[in-house]
Each structure stands twice: as structure tokens, then as C-alpha cells.
Amino acid sequence: MAEATMDKIVSLCKRRGFIFQSSEIYGGLAGSWDYGPLGVQLKNNIRDFWWKEMTQMYDNIVGLDAAILMHPKVWEASGHIKNFTDPLVDCKQCKSRFRADQIDLEAACPNCGTKDSFTQPRNFNLMFSTHIGSVEDEGSLIYLRPETAQGIYADFKSVVQSSRVKVPFGIAQVGKAFRNEITTKSFIFRSVEFEQMEMQFFVKPGEDDKWFSFWREERLKFYHKMGIKPTSLRWHQHGPDELAFYAKEAFDIQFLFPMGWQELEGVHNRTDYDLSQHQIFSGKDLTYLDQETNERFVPYVVETSAGLTRNVLMALSDAYEEQTLENNEVRTVLHFHPAIAPVTVAVLPLVKKDGLGEVASKLDKELREDFTTFYDQNGAIGRRYRRMDEIGTPYCITVDYQTLEDNSVTLRYRDSMKQIRVSMNQIVQEIRTATKNYKRVE
Ligand code: GAP
């Protein structure tokens, strides 16, 4: 079994239409990526899986889709204008810019090799700014949100007043975020435009530690349910020097990416910091009245904050395998959980003649009601299976001459490559059951 290197994943993503460099025909834009036909489906499936697990499966979490552009005071209140910075140095010779905490300032410039060429470190704000309206002045300056969370805090009162939610409750949101990252290596791991899946859980002060433990457990279980190898996931607790300016306690779920262990998701105890700040800056009362006890308080917040685009890289890295088969052929296979695989079922007539193509095409159209399908009638069947393995399609259905006699088809499972005969009337149920009971076979 060969290792999943980043180069292999990047190459497969480009070759099969998962992910492309943004504006590639113009030489590309650093840190910006486009999701191709299979990539957007994979990303949407992960998003939908998260949304279902984080809203539908709990009776006290509601959804929100706040605007990317917000009032600039939001970012003053949240502390991002003052504190959301990286320490940067420039090389005076070649003008390259580096994160001061990621290079040896005593060494030569990694780009041009000049010694003693770095400027003094200075803080560089990661927020992208733009202007709203027709006049470009101080008064029209706004920011692209660097996290989705602030939209949730700004709407906290509206949600409480309109949705009959009671503390403890959560607000979930998926959306784009933007950061002017200087180090954008490692493919889509760190990009300037990315997507987050965040949930802010509002609790009574004093109950935050209990809920913090609860959400840590729930979030790890989520990745197990998504079929990610448990040995590739671990916890990392933030030390005092790593804690974000708003956090009392923070743990990252790390994943073993091809370049090593790295953050996948953060679970943070943000205390009442954000709501209190928004009270001060907006002048609005953001307290919550507990109607049973008549107590009024600013809720504490336990946040679960996952990168959706980083989840895509995790899913690809976790799924990628090169297997050497008995005949020494190497098969590249993506072991996606069927719930997130971009194509669920491939329908393949053994040959297109003798009416097999028509039967298979009709079956494909029927299956589209229930699954994302792919119809392929060209080339040797073995090669068609390999193409489906390489994009992670968990089920292949083959229509052959026996189908014309008894209405049965061959169902092939991607991971085990086992094939069984199933009646066409039973195929939807068979795939549903296999997906529900899916366990990864190495
Ligand atoms: N609201 C809290 C927050 O934004 P964060 O640790 O800065 O916390 C949360 O970000 C998650 O967002 C990270 O764990 C990561 O998955 C994702 N993320 C952050 N910056 C990213 C970037 N530049 N590119 C891709 N994903 C990023």
C-alpha cells in the first residue's frame, strides 16, 4: 500500500476534476481554488452531512445564513481590527514577505538567500478590506468576514425573539470566510478564501465547562461517523501562548494530513466575550432572560468551528489508497464514506449493444431519484470499474445478458471489490442498507 502524498492528491484532483487552481489560464492566484464537478459535489455532501448532524439531529440547534459583508463596527467590537494579526517580516532584497513566527530570523532569506535582510517584525491584519457605495473614503471602509461566527452574535437577539429557543441552544452556519494569509502552502489546507461550518452554543454562565466537554465528545464522534480513520484524529489543547484573544479554553481536533498533524476544527470556550463586546459597541441589550428562574445574564458561548474546505482535504487524504492487486496491477481508490462520495452509483452496461444499453440507461434514470449516478457505457468493464474506484464511487451496477433473462444486475462494492447479484426491484433498498451499515474495509 503506497502512501497518500500531497503531490498525488493534487494530481488526482486536477486530473479527475475535483479541484483546480483559480484563474489558472492567467497563471493562477495564490491561495485561491476552484471546485470542479466532483469537488463541488464532495464539498456539498460534506456540508449537508454536517448540517444534518448539527441541526436536524439536535432539537436545540437552529440555522442561520448571515451576510458576508457586515457593519465595520462588528470587527471593532469583536477585536479583529486590533488583534487579528500575524507578525510579518519583509526581505529588503527580494521583497518577499514571511510570517516572523515561521522562519529563522537569524538565517538567510529562504527566497533569495540574502543574509541579514529582514525588516523588524510588524503586525499585519489578516482581514481583507473593501469599500461600500460610490465614495472610497474612511467612512465606506468595510471588511470581508474572517470568520462566520460574528454574524451569529450580531443576530443573537433576533433569533431569540423569533425562534422560541431557550438557553442552552445553538445557532449553526456554513459560509465563506476570507483571510489575507501570507503562507498559503499545502494546497487547499490554508487558502485566502475558504468555507467554515460553525456552531455557537449559548449556555448559562457556570455551565460552560460542562458543555465544552459535551461538544468536544460530539465533534469527535462526528468524524468517526463520517468514516474517518480514528487513528488519524487526535486532540491538541491550546497552551496560554496559542489561545485566541477571545478564548478561555480551546482544543483543536487535528488530522494526520500528508504533511503531518494539523488543525481540522477548533472547539472554543469564548465565554461571554463576544456578546458583551457587541452590547458595548452597539448599545443594545444582548442579555437573555431565563423565564423559569427570572435570571438575566449574558450567555457564555461554546463554539465548534470546522473548515469545510479543510474537511474536503481531510476526506481526500483519508480516502486515498494505492493498492497492489494479486495480478500486480495498482488500483488507486478513494474510500469515501458513501454519504459523502460525489457519485454514489455508477450504472454500466456490459456492452451497449443487444438492448443492454437501453436497459442500463433506463435504470440509471430511475436511480437518479434516490442517488447521484454516473452512466458509462464505453470501454472494457475492468477499466470502467477502475475509473469509478479512482473517484471514490462506492457502488457499481452492471447490466449484462442475465439481466435480460431474470431482471437481476451485478452490484460491485468498491472497497472489497465483491460482486453480488441483486434483483433490479431490490437495488435501491440494497444500496440504502449498505450505506447505513457502511464500515470501511482496508
Ligand atoms: N470562529 C473561530 C475561528 O474562526 P479558527 O481556528 O481561526 O477559529 C476555524 O478557524 C477553522 O477554520 C480551522 O480549524 C480551519 O479548519 C478553518 N480555517 C481557518 N483558516 C483557514 C484558511 N486560511 N484556509 C482554510 N481553512 C481555514
Side-chain angles (χ1 to χ4, degrees):
M1 195 182 90
E3 267 193 41
T5 64
M6 193 62 102
D7 284 349
K8 285 179 182 173
I9 292 169
V10 173
S11 152
L12 184 140
C13 283
K14 189 171 159 63
R15 195 170 67 246
R16 299 308 309 269
F18 281 91
I19 298 162
F20 314 119
Q21 174 78 64
S22 157
S23 353
E24 198 173 8
I25 57 168
Y26 291 101
L29 182 70
S32 261
W33 300 93
D34 296 343
Y35 291 76
L38 293 176
V40 67
Q41 192 64 52
L42 174 63
K43 179 155 70 69
N44 287 351
N45 290 351
I46 295 174
R47 178 200 64 194
D48 294 347
F49 187 77
W50 183 92
W51 189 259
K52 178 179 172 195
E53 290 298 321
M54 293 299 281
T55 61
Q56 197 173 319
M57 301 305 281
Y58 296 97
D59 51 18
N60 54 357
I61 302 183
V62 293
L64 182 75
D65 185 12
I68 289 173
L69 302 176
M70 302 179 73
H71 196 289
K73 277 221 157 170
V74 167
W75 307 110
E76 260 180 71
S78 68
H80 281 82
I81 288 181
K82 198 158 155 228
N83 300 314
F84 197 54
T85 54
D86 274 344
L88 295 187
V89 291
D90 291 322
C91 169
K92 291 181 208 150
Q93 186 64 28
C94 70
K95 311 285 181 231
S96 296
R97 189 165 272 180
F98 304 94
R99 284 225 348 222
D101 53 341
Q102 288 179 351
I103 58 163
D104 178 0
L105 296 176
E106 305 298 316
C109 166
N111 189 45
C112 67
T114 312
K115 285 210 152 202
D116 300 323
S117 68
F118 295 122
T119 56
Q120 283 299 312
R122 65 202 152 71
N123 284 331
F124 175 84
N125 198 293
L126 294 179
M127 284 196 293
F128 282 103
S129 58
T130 185
H131 292 270
I132 194 161
S134 53
V135 184
E136 274 199 23
D137 63 11
E138 272 286 290
S140 66
L141 182 68
I142 56 166
Y143 301 93
L144 302 190
R145 66 181 177 198
E147 61 168 13
T148 60
Q150 295 304 322
I152 295 180
Y153 301 132
D155 282 343
F156 168 75
K157 196 98 203 167
S158 300
V159 172
V160 170
Q161 283 167 347
S162 61
S163 314
R164 303 181 62 196
V165 284
K166 288 201 173 79
V167 165
F169 76 94
I171 304 179
Q173 173 164 229
V174 180
K176 292 234 172 185
F178 303 81
R179 295 182 191 178
N180 197 357
E181 304 274 8
I182 294 303
T183 316
T184 53
K185 289 187 301 214
S186 303
F187 196 29
I188 56 170
F189 177 80
R190 192 184 307 286
S191 42
V192 293
E193 174 177 344
F194 56 100
E195 282 174 74
Q196 290 188 315
M197 307 184 286
E198 296 201 302
M199 194 278 297
Q200 316 294 315
F201 200 72
F202 299 91
V203 306
K204 195 173 165 182
E207 296 187 355
D208 48 314
D209 291 339
K210 180 182 86 184
W211 285 108
F212 187 70
S213 306
F214 174 84
W215 280 110
R216 276 186 57 199
E217 270 182 42
E218 292 294 283
R219 292 308 302 150
L220 195 59
K221 276 194 237 156
F222 167 88
Y223 291 108
H224 295 161
K225 194 164 178 183
M226 199 167 137
I228 304 305
K229 279 191 236 104
T231 49
S232 297
L233 296 162
R234 73 176 190 193
W235 284 107
H236 165 74
Q237 181 172 17
H238 283 211
D241 53 332
E242 282 173 284
L243 273 181
F245 55 89
Y246 49 72
K248 166 178 158 187
E249 201 179 4
F251 278 78
D252 291 339
I253 297 177
Q254 292 187 334
F255 174 76
L256 188 55
F257 287 96
M259 64 283 188
W261 288 100
Q262 294 285 346
E263 174 183 347
L264 173 70
E265 160 159 359
V267 182
H268 311 129
N269 182 344
R270 291 179 77 133
T271 69
D272 58 358
Y273 173 82
D274 299 273
L275 286 180
S276 300
Q277 287 289 101
H278 286 303
Q279 276 205 136
I280 296 167
F281 280 76
S282 69
K284 299 283 178 331
D285 175 10
L286 298 182
T287 55
Y288 172 84
L289 175 67
D290 184 330
Q291 306 218 330
E292 272 160 35
T293 61
N294 231 11
E295 279 174 278
R296 191 173 270 287
F297 53 84
V298 177
Y300 267 44
V301 170
V302 175
E303 167 185 69
T304 71
S305 175
L308 170 54
T309 40
R310 204 172 278 185
N311 259 256
V312 171
L313 183 59
M314 171 200 62
L316 286 161
S317 315
D318 185 69
Y320 189 97
E321 194 190 356
E322 284 173 16
Q323 289 175 334
T324 306
L325 305 177
E326 276 169 17
N327 61 2
N328 275 336
E329 193 193 331
V330 176
R331 95 162 171 148
T332 302
V333 52
L334 292 178
H335 297 278
F336 291 133
H337 190 292
I340 62 164
V343 176
T344 317
V345 191
V347 182
L348 318 168
L350 189 62
V351 288
K352 45 189 167 191
K353 58 182 185 171
D354 300 333
L356 297 186
E358 285 77 12
V359 175
S361 169
K362 183 165 169 279
L363 175 64
D364 171 48
K365 293 208 169 66
E366 283 166 16
L367 290 173
R368 286 182 201 181
E369 283 289 340
D370 298 274
F371 309 110
T372 312
T373 68
F374 185 83
Y375 181 76
D376 184 6
Q377 58 176 19
N378 295 317
I381 190 72
R383 219 169 308 135
R384 279 183 272 163
Y385 284 149
R386 291 288 170 278
R387 281 207 290 265
M388 286 299 115
D389 290 341
E390 206 187 23
I391 64 165
T393 305
Y395 312 109
C396 287
I397 294 173
T398 310
V399 170
D400 55 21
Y401 287 102
Q402 197 184 325
T403 312
L404 303 180
E405 287 165 24
D406 65 4
N407 221 28
S408 71
V409 289
T410 300
L411 176 62
R412 173 189 182 266
Y413 295 99
R414 175 198 63 206
D415 293 359
S416 63
M417 291 185 282
K418 277 204 186 106
Q419 301 189 6
I420 58 167
R421 246 7 243 191
V422 184
S423 159
M424 273 206 271
N425 306 329
Q426 297 295 315
I427 200 82
V428 170
Q429 196 47 46
E430 179 64 37
I431 291 172
R432 285 233 171 94
T433 309
T435 299
K436 205 161 186 198
N437 300 332
Y438 176 78
K439 289 255 164 354
R440 180 161 166 176
V441 181
E442 294 290 338

